[in-house]
């Protein structure tokens, strides 16, 4: 039964504390958990089921209160609005919004195909499937996807390094395929600019490619603990004239973080050993992201039911164990659906594109939070 | 085909007023009678001309049911019953009956006194209207007449809110009104049994939202109050006494205790009296579990909350005051507001919707200068916060309710069909039921498949069972023969013999005889044998017998062969069958007329 009174248990403590440590806090419960949160517009995101029989893809409009600016007090709208919805025939592994279009591409856990969806405009609220991309070679299930960044809608996708390819959406034409036979599993990929892209393998090796050349440069990771699973995040260093000026962060399932300059991937500029133990048997939810507005700030999740934020400015080439500047414990402590005792884990998180300290995070119990944390070092907003 | 018709009254896509007509089993029921708060003219009332073009509604409606006291569900009730005219029963729960007239009177005062309107119901009309109310208890079946019965279920949402089941014979409809599926601090969640109505009618307004948690709303409230107090400001919270006020008080009390805050919190005296009233209503209405937890605190023995005196409003320093009325349209809350509005350190928190014409409505629309009586202007410098605490079901809640009630069909009102195609798909796929989304003013007809219960006589039942075959299974219909006797209001199925006996008639048997002439050079006996062989080969699935008394029998049909001495080759085949075997008998006679095959 629901707690009828605010008593002094841990959840209440956290809620009380939340008055000071968050500016804004919204806690929602989806019907089914998602492992993807993808921005599809300035105020909208897409989420998708990965666990049920009928997997829904939903486009949600963020609570209007967040955007009310000066008139925030007069806006009572705290809820997500479901704008569009569709059904996918398999649990969604990866979901990417296509740059410049009202379109997303998904990969699923049952097959190696990619599905192309039209989110729809004002008239109908259905997310409709408009096409399927079958990779032109044998592939594992659940391919990783990245959106092309040019006007011609395309996706870069792969499950192993040797099957990474770029497909044009409308025609289904393969625009590019890598010319290497490495069988390393892909953990993530992303375009740096219209032709340069980076792929991170599960073992931490980075591949830098150019769609005008099938050969790729690769940078093997040294000193990685055996059994590590790595994920990566890319941040464009702005303003900068050199398009290749990017910072790459790699995170391992043992909590190791390496920060490197894209122009020199052999030696990391910073590194750390985070004090994070992975509870899960699966590395499925491991996630590292760079803050788009704050400098040198990154967020980490997938180890447990929390999101950890670090400021890497003070890190050096010598690995130390830094303290996070903030930890979001909301998923652990506002756990509505007390389930079968399986450990709660944050499945994904994203930063808001322009609000400096706003993040969205989702967890395995179906919860999804929107939170704006207070940096203790800056009391004023 | 039997059907149920549902028409949400109103025009176009406008939301904000609930009034739904249902025709079921020859009965007409009006569900809710709300006022549209956005209009100032006749458009705010539902359009009753759908029911009848002129005159009173009494002859056209069997009853009216009101789900809860919010004005968008009951605001037009006095207009309907007293100005258009309806004298039949109006059903609502006890708390709704107690609270409705207070809200309606408040609303009337604002509309007539403040805004100077004329075509509006009077205080006396409200009283006359309430005299027609028949109160409902939860889970109690009420017979409106011989055939129509209704039952109220707990809806959560606000005190006294109910979902209603309407039943005529074996057809039924459930109307949800407003409800919530996540338990509230003092109201709990809606509940209904697996009543399997033909149609579940529910609002779709919130169907496409995913609600922020109650805790976060409370957090926001506490945060705002705390921020004001910290900077030395005063916080005014205008409330309608019967509802959220108690909840917010408990929230603040616990917070004050925890944070060791010293600023005073006041509860205006008018509120205390009304709260007492509310308390009594509440205790008899809610269930045991909630009663226990709520009752644990004595509402009038708060450590940090004291009774307010209007002189306190001028005291220096921070404070929080709960005062009525809720929309700042008159009385104490407006007085306090006038005193505090000019200081930007102060704050007013509006916990709900405000009717047009009230100060509350104006400041929520961002108005910074207000015209008061005597042409005085009031500058609004204090911080205005609009917080919504009301509990509504969202997309998930609707799915939960459908799972609970297991309707055969679902009907969503107040939604744009195009904007709800996904929800419709979702419902249809998950539950395999039809989802209707009529526009306002549009009638939906849902065909029902009511089962008609009939008493079967023991003899007939035994006879059917003696025939063997699989055991009776509700999923596999079986055809049987019997006589249906409809007498008074009972339906009985008996064997034909018994029916005849009861009617005092004797049974007659109908038997047909037919003669077929055949040319056959054999003896009569041989001809008969040849007929037997022929029939046996043709009628492979049937019981064909050649009996020692020189007859052939096919099922119950008897065949005999005879001839005259003068023409021994001209055989006369006599066929005889009873009425039940008419088809087979006709077939045999036609067959034999064709003659016997020579190969025999």
């Amino acid at each position: 039964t629901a707690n009828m009174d605010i008593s002094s248990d841990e959840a209440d403590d956290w809620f009380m504390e939340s008055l000071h440590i968050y500016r804004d806090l919204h806690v929602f419960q989806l019907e089914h958990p998602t492992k993807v949160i993808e921005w599809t517009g300035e105020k909208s995101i897409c989420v998708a089921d990965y666990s049920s029989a009928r997997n829904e893809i939903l486009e949600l409009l963020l609570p209007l209160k967040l955007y009310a600016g000066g008139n925030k007090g007069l806006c009572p709208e705290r809820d997500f609005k479901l704008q569009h919805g569709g059904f996918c025939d398999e649990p969604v592994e990866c979901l990417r919004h296509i740059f410049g279009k009202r379109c997303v591409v998904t990969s699923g856990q049952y097959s190696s195909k990619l599905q192309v969806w039209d989110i729809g405009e004002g008239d109908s609220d259905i997310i409709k499937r408009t096409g399927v991309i079958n990779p032109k070679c044998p592939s594992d299930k659940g391919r990783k996807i990245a959106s092309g960044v040019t006007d011609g809608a395309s996706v870069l996708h792969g499950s192993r390094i040797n099957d990474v390819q770029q497909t044009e959406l409308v025609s289904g034409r393969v625009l590019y395929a890598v010319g290497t036979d490495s069988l390393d599993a892909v953990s993530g990929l992303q375009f740096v600019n219209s032709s340069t892209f980076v792929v991170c393998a599960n073992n931490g090796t980075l591949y830098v490619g150019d769609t005008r050349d099938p050969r790729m440069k690769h940078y093997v990771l040294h000193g990685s603990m055996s059994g590590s699973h790595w994920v990566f995040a890319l941040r464009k260093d702005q303003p900068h004239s050199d398009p290749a000026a990017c910072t790459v962060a790699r995170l391992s399932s043992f909590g190791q973080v390496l920060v490197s300059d894209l122009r020199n991937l052999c030696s990391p500029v910073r590194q750390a050993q985070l004090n994070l133990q992975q509870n899960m048997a699966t590395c499925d939810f491991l996630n590292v992201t760079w803050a788009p507005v704050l400098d040198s700030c990154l967020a980490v999740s997938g180890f447990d039911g929390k999101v950890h934020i670090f400021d890497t400015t003070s890190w050096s080439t010598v690995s130390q164990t830094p303290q996070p500047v903030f930890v979001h414990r909301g998923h652990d402590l506002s756990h509505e659906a007390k389930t079968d005792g399986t450990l709660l884990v944050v499945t994904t998180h994203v930063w808001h594109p322009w609000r400096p300290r706003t993040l969205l995070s989702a967890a395995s119990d179906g919860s999804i939070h929107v939170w704006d944390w207070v940096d203790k070092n800056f009391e004023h907003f | 085909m039997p059907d149920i018709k549902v028409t949400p009254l109103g025009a176009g896509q406008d939301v904000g007023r609930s009034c739904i007509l249902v025709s079921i089993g020859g009965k007409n029921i009006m569900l809710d009678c709300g006022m549209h708060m956005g209009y100032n003219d006749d458009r705010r009332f539902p359009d009753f001309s759908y029911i009848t073009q002129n005159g009173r509604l009494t002859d056209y409606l069997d009853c009216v049911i009101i789900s809860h006291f919010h004005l968008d569900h009951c605001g037009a009730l006095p207009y309907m019953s007293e100005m258009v005219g309806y004298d039949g029963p109006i059903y609502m729960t006890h708390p709704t009956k107690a609270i409705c007239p207070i809200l309606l009177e408040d609303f009337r005062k604002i509309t007539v006194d403040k805004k100077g309107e004329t075509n509006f119901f009077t205080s006396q009309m409200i009283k006359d209207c309430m005299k027609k109310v028949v109160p409902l208890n939860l889970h109690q079946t009420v017979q409106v007449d011989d055939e129509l019965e209704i039952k109220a279920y707990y809806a959560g949402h606000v005190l006294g809110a109910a979902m209603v089941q309407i039943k005529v014979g074996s057809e039924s409809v459930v109307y949800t009104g407003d409800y919530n599926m996540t338990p509230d601090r003092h109201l709990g969640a809606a509940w209904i049994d697996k009543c399997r109505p033909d149609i579940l009618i529910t609002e779709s307004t919130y169907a496409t939202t995913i609600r922020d948690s109650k805790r976060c709303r409370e957090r926001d409230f506490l945060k705002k109050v705390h921020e004001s107090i910290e900077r030395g400001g005063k916080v005014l919270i205008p409330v309608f006494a019967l509802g959220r006020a108690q909840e917010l008080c408990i929230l603040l009390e616990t917070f004050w205790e925890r944070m060791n805050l010293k600023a005073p919190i006041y509860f205006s005296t008018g509120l205390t009296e009304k709260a007492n009233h509310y308390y009594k209503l509440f205790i008899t209405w809610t269930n045991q579990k909630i009663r226990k937890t709520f009752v644990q605190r004595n509402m009038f023995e708060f450590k940090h909350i004291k009774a307010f005196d209007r002189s306190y409003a001028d005291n220096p320093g921070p404070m929080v005051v709960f005062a009525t009325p809720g929309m700042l349209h008159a009385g104490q809350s407006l007085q306090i507001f006038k005193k505090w509005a000019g200081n930007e350190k102060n704050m007013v928190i509006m916990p709900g919707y405000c009717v047009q014409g009230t100060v509350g409505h104006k400041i929520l629309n961002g108005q910074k200068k207000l015209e008061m009586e005597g042409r005085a202007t009031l500058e609004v410098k204090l911080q205005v916060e609009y917080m919504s605490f009301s509990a509504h079901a969202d997309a998930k809640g609707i799915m939960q309710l459908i799972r609970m009630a297991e309707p055969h069909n679902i009907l969503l009102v107040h939604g744009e069909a195009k904007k709800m195609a996904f929800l419709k798909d979702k419902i249809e796929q998950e539950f395999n039921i039809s989802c209707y989304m009529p526009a306002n003013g549009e009638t939906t007809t849902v065909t029902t498949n009511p089962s008609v219960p009939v008493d079967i006589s023991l003899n007939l039942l035994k006879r059917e069972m003696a025939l063997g075959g699989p055991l009776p299974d509700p999923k596999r219909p079986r055809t049987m023969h019997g006589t249906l006797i409809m007498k008074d209001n009972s339906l009985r199925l008996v064997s034909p013999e018994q029916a005849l006996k009861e009617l005092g008639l004797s049974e007659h048997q109908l038997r047909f005889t037919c003669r077929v002439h055949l040319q056959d050079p054999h003896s009569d006996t041989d001809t008969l044998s040849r007929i037997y062989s022929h029939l046996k080969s043709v009628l492979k699935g049937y019981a064909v017998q050649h009996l020692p008394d020189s007859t052939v029998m096919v099922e119950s049909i008897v065949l005999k062969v005879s001839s005259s001495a003068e023409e021994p080759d001209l055989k006369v085949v006599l066929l005889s069958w009873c009425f039940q075997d008419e088809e087979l008998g006709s077939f045999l006679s036609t067959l034999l007329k064709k003659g016997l095959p020579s190969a025999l």
Side-chain angles (χ1 to χ4, degrees):
Chain A
T1 52
N3 213 2
M4 297 300 275
D5 218 344
I6 298 183
S7 57
S8 50
D9 72 272
E10 221 187 337
D12 292 314
D13 286 345
W14 178 72
F15 258 102
M16 283 298 157
E17 202 195 351
S18 78
L19 265 76
H20 300 294
I21 63 175
Y22 298 92
R23 265 172 49 184
D24 291 306
L25 178 66
H26 297 260
V27 166
F28 303 93
Q29 190 66 32
L30 297 173
E31 270 183 89
H32 306 288
T34 182
K35 61 185 293 200
V36 301
I37 300 177
E38 176 81 346
W39 289 98
T40 54
E42 209 216 309
K43 299 179 186 170
S44 54
I45 56 168
C46 247
V47 295
D49 285 356
Y50 67 88
S51 70
S52 66
R54 198 179 4 264
N55 301 285
E56 296 175 358
I57 301 177
L58 308 173
E59 191 196 34
L60 306 173
L61 182 69
L62 262 68
L64 293 176
K65 204 171 169 71
L66 289 171
Y67 296 94
N71 281 328
K72 212 156 156 196
L74 300 181
C75 178
E77 295 292 336
R78 301 187 61 90
D79 306 327
F80 268 129
K81 285 258 185 306
L82 174 63
Q83 292 201 289
H84 297 92
F87 298 99
C88 185
D89 57 0
E90 54 181 341
V92 174
E93 176 63 30
C94 189
L95 186 150
R96 287 283 170 244
H97 173 241
I98 299 304
F99 175 75
K101 306 272 182 278
R102 287 289 290 157
C103 167
V104 296
V105 176
T106 61
S107 69
Q109 293 174 359
Y110 295 162
S111 74
S112 60
K113 69 178 190 278
L114 301 184
Q115 302 190 55
V116 184
W117 307 82
D118 183 44
I119 300 181
E121 284 309 330
D123 234 30
S124 155
D125 73 331
I126 300 272
I127 295 179
K128 234 178 7 179
R129 198 179 81 166
T130 55
V132 173
I133 296 172
N134 285 303
K136 307 271 187 284
C137 54
S139 157
D140 294 339
K141 304 186 177 113
R143 290 170 76 75
K144 302 287 187 267
I145 311 169
S147 168
V149 298
T150 55
D151 281 341
S154 69
V155 282
L156 185 71
H157 51 107
S159 71
R160 295 200 180 266
I161 303 297
N162 68 348
D163 66 36
V164 171
Q165 56 199 255
Q166 184 187 19
T167 309
E168 186 179 62
L169 286 190
V170 175
S171 64
R173 202 160 53 98
V174 175
L175 300 172
Y176 166 82
V178 306
T180 165
D181 48 16
S182 164
L183 288 171
D184 287 346
V186 171
S187 96
L189 27 70
Q190 193 174 335
F191 272 104
V192 173
N193 56 37
S194 56
S195 54
T196 316
F197 64 89
V198 178
V199 185
C200 178
N202 275 4
N203 59 16
T205 306
L206 284 177
Y207 294 78
V208 182
D210 189 310
T211 53
R212 298 165 293 193
D213 185 342
R215 294 164 301 176
M216 293 196 294
K217 299 198 193 88
H218 73 280
Y219 306 89
V220 176
L221 190 58
H222 299 290
S224 162
M225 285 181 253
S226 85
S228 293
H229 172 100
W230 291 83
V231 291
F232 91 125
L234 206 63
R235 183 177 198 257
K236 293 234 180 65
D237 294 332
Q238 260 144 29
H240 217 288
S241 51
D242 184 348
C246 279
T247 315
V248 180
R250 273 173 288 181
L251 167 73
S252 86
S253 49
F254 286 106
Q256 222 183 327
V257 181
L258 298 174
V259 178
S260 319
D261 187 316
L262 187 61
R263 294 163 293 185
N264 182 9
L265 288 176
C266 294
S267 23
V269 293
R270 292 187 239 265
Q271 59 179 303
Q273 175 58 55
L274 304 181
N275 188 13
L276 292 173
Q277 284 295 0
Q278 202 194 302
N279 291 330
M280 314 303 296
T282 167
C283 304
D284 244 8
F285 305 120
L286 219 55
N287 197 4
V288 62
T289 57
W290 282 111
V293 178
L294 299 176
D295 275 331
S296 313
C297 223
L298 49 75
V300 159
S301 70
F303 291 88
D304 49 27
K306 311 191 219 340
V307 181
H308 309 258
I309 301 179
F310 295 91
D311 184 346
T312 65
T313 325
S314 58
W315 297 8
S316 69
T317 49
V318 176
S319 178
Q320 295 187 325
T321 302
Q323 285 303 305
V325 296
F326 189 82
V327 178
H328 175 64
R329 299 186 300 144
H331 293 281
D332 272 342
L333 295 172
S334 64
H335 201 23
E336 255 187 55
K338 292 262 186 291
T339 42
D340 45 18
T342 48
L343 283 170
L344 180 77
V345 66
V346 170
T347 56
T348 186
H349 71 266
V350 295
W351 290 81
H352 191 284
W354 49 263
R355 288 169 59 113
R357 283 176 206 82
T358 304
L359 285 95
L360 282 77
S361 55
S364 52
D365 63 348
S367 58
I368 180 165
H369 296 180
V370 184
W371 41 283
D372 189 346
W373 54 281
V374 170
D375 190 337
K376 286 181 285 205
N377 299 323
F378 301 110
E379 279 301 302
H380 63 281
F381 321 126
Chain B
M1 290 295 294
D3 59 40
I4 302 176
K5 289 185 168 52
V6 180
T7 312
L9 290 187
Q13 297 301 325
D14 67 1
V15 189
R17 175 221 300 114
S18 292
C19 186
I20 302 165
L21 293 179
V22 174
S23 287
I24 173 176
K27 305 287 170 185
N28 294 328
I29 298 114
M30 179 183 287
L31 299 170
D32 281 338
C33 192
M35 176 83 78
H36 197 306
M37 313 306 273
Y39 293 118
N40 285 328
D41 51 26
D42 280 353
R43 284 176 298 176
R44 61 184 154 198
F45 301 119
D47 183 7
F48 301 115
S49 65
Y50 178 84
I51 306 170
T52 171
Q53 291 289 335
N54 42 29
R56 307 178 69 79
L57 305 174
T58 315
D59 291 338
Y60 299 90
L61 292 175
D62 291 281
C63 72
V64 174
I65 305 175
I66 302 293
S67 63
H68 63 289
F69 62 66
H70 277 157
L71 290 171
D72 55 343
H73 289 258
C74 74
L77 190 63
Y79 168 80
M80 192 272 299
S81 72
E82 307 311 305
M83 292 169 82
V84 177
Y86 169 76
D87 299 313
I90 301 172
Y91 291 95
M92 59 181 78
T93 61
H94 285 275
T96 310
K97 183 180 177 194
I99 299 170
C100 250
I102 304 173
L103 276 179
L104 286 168
E105 179 54 33
D106 245 11
F107 178 48
R108 188 207 66 78
K109 264 204 278 236
I110 298 171
T111 312
V112 174
D113 300 346
K114 295 268 163 220
K115 289 162 75 187
E117 299 222 10
T118 45
N119 185 29
F120 212 76
F121 49 82
T122 62
S123 291
Q124 186 56 43
M125 286 181 186
I126 296 174
K127 294 196 179 90
D128 292 337
C129 170
M130 297 313 288
K131 288 192 192 121
K132 299 171 184 172
V133 170
V134 179
L136 293 170
N137 288 317
L138 282 180
H139 306 158
Q140 195 182 55
T141 304
V142 170
Q143 295 288 144
V144 175
D145 61 32
D146 276 347
E147 291 155 311
L148 171 63
E149 50 181 65
I150 61 178
K151 180 154 74 162
Y153 288 92
Y154 193 78
H157 186 55
V158 291
L159 182 62
M163 307 191 288
V164 188
Q165 180 196 41
I166 299 135
K167 210 161 169 190
V168 179
S170 65
E171 288 177 300
S172 67
V173 162
V174 168
Y175 170 59
T176 65
D178 284 341
Y179 65 102
N180 60 283
M181 297 301 289
T182 39
D184 207 301
R185 217 168 262 281
H186 72 298
L187 283 173
W191 180 87
I192 192 166
D193 50 13
K194 244 196 243 308
C195 54
R196 300 208 171 100
D198 290 286
I199 312 175
L200 176 70
I201 303 174
T202 190
E203 288 283 331
S204 56
T205 324
Y206 299 98
T208 49
T209 59
I210 298 178
R211 305 269 301 165
D212 189 9
S213 72
K214 188 85 197 285
R215 280 293 186 89
C216 284
R217 287 169 209 271
E218 292 175 347
R219 176 199 169 265
D220 212 24
F221 171 71
L222 292 175
K223 194 162 152 61
K224 290 284 176 298
V225 170
H226 191 218
E227 277 165 10
S228 287
I229 297 296
E230 292 252 279
R231 62 175 181 238
K234 297 170 166 55
V235 182
L236 171 64
I237 308 173
V239 283
F240 178 64
L242 314 178
R244 302 273 157 216
Q246 281 70 26
E247 202 174 299
L248 296 176
C249 278
I250 296 172
L251 203 56
L252 275 189
E253 165 95 345
T254 321
F255 185 60
W256 248 239
E257 185 70 25
R258 228 184 140 98
M259 307 288 280
N260 202 18
L261 297 174
K262 301 292 174 213
I265 310 176
Y266 298 113
F267 202 68
S268 75
T269 41
L271 262 181
T272 317
E273 285 152 23
K274 291 198 180 106
N276 237 325
H277 177 56
Y278 165 83
Y279 187 76
K280 288 197 191 106
L281 270 178
F282 180 78
I283 289 306
T284 49
W285 168 254
T286 58
N287 63 42
Q288 196 62 31
K289 218 180 340 187
I290 295 183
R291 207 178 297 169
K292 248 199 324 195
T293 1
F294 200 90
V295 169
Q296 262 162 30
R297 24 181 72 260
N298 182 328
M299 286 197 296
F300 311 108
E301 275 175 20
F302 286 123
K303 227 172 108 179
H304 302 278
I305 307 185
K306 307 272 180 269
F308 184 68
D309 182 281
R310 58 170 159 170
S311 62
Y312 298 174
D314 298 315
N315 288 358
M319 71 172 81
V320 181
V321 176
F322 289 88
T324 55
M327 298 185 248
L328 287 180
H329 50 286
Q332 191 166 71
S333 61
L334 183 59
Q335 266 178 34
I336 301 170
F337 176 78
K338 283 188 208 170
K339 284 191 201 245
W340 294 358
N343 188 338
E344 58 257 338
K345 279 201 240 171
N346 296 339
M347 178 185 284
V348 63
I349 298 180
M350 308 299 296
Y353 175 80
C354 292
V355 166
Q356 234 184 46
T358 57
V359 169
H361 184 94
K362 291 181 183 147
I363 62 174
L364 286 180
N365 276 327
Q367 231 175 296
K368 294 281 180 228
K369 279 190 175 33
L370 298 171
E371 230 187 69
M372 306 266 98
E373 291 97 46
R375 297 203 152 222
T377 26
L378 182 66
E379 281 221 41
V380 180
K381 291 202 186 136
L382 87 177
Q383 205 174 319
V384 179
E385 291 285 333
Y386 186 2
M387 299 201 175
S388 161
F389 288 102
S390 78
H392 282 280
D394 59 3
K396 192 166 78 138
I398 293 185
M399 303 301 277
Q400 282 173 312
L401 187 69
I402 298 176
R403 240 168 252 133
M404 256 192 201
E406 289 191 10
H408 296 289
N409 299 281
I410 177 156
L411 194 136
L412 299 170
V413 292
H414 295 148
E416 276 186 69
K418 277 203 204 123
K419 300 278 170 69
M420 313 215 32
F422 173 67
L423 180 65
K424 183 175 144 84
D425 268 355
K426 196 169 134 99
I427 291 174
E428 286 179 345
Q429 278 186 40
E430 179 152 345
F431 301 110
N432 203 21
I433 61 178
S434 297
C435 178
Y436 299 90
M437 297 186 294
N440 290 337
E442 187 189 315
T443 303
T444 302
T445 306
V446 177
T447 310
T448 54
N449 195 8
S451 52
V452 183
V454 170
D455 288 328
I456 181 171
S457 82
L458 198 55
N459 279 332
L460 191 57
L461 190 60
K462 282 188 186 163
R463 187 204 289 189
E464 285 298 314
M465 287 182 69
L467 288 177
L471 285 173
D473 182 346
K475 295 199 179 95
R476 285 168 198 274
R478 223 164 92 165
T479 319
M480 56 185 293
H481 287 289
T483 308
L484 183 68
I485 302 179
M486 291 166 65
K487 202 165 162 194
D488 301 322
N489 265 334
S490 75
L491 297 167
R492 284 163 55 227
L493 197 63
V494 299
S495 64
E497 303 84 59
Q498 188 173 339
L500 289 170
K501 210 161 86 174
E502 286 188 24
L503 291 169
L505 298 171
S506 44
E507 193 176 353
H508 290 69
Q509 288 270 2
L510 224 60
R511 217 168 165 85
F512 297 94
T513 323
C514 155
R515 285 181 173 74
V516 176
H517 297 260
L518 284 177
Q519 283 289 349
D520 197 70
H522 302 90
S523 69
D524 287 356
T525 326
D526 285 347
T527 306
L528 189 64
S529 301
R530 291 183 72 210
I531 290 172
Y532 168 69
S533 306
H534 180 45
L535 293 183
K536 201 133 169 94
S537 76
V538 172
L539 299 173
K540 287 199 166 56
Y542 292 80
V544 185
Q545 298 170 285
H546 190 165
L547 299 176
D549 63 353
S550 300
T551 62
V552 166
M553 270 192 77
V554 180
E555 303 291 323
S556 71
I557 301 167
V558 180
L559 291 98
K560 280 194 166 93
V561 174
S562 63
S563 57
S564 69
E566 298 85 31
E567 294 191 69
D569 286 353
L570 182 63
K571 307 294 179 194
V572 179
V573 185
L574 183 73
L575 292 98
S576 165
W577 62 83
C578 63
F579 172 64
Q580 277 83 349
D581 288 324
E582 159 67 23
E583 224 180 291
L584 186 57
S586 296
F587 173 76
L588 286 180
S589 79
T590 312
L591 179 70
L592 290 174
K593 280 188 184 130
K594 292 188 187 142
L596 296 172
S598 42
L600 280 172

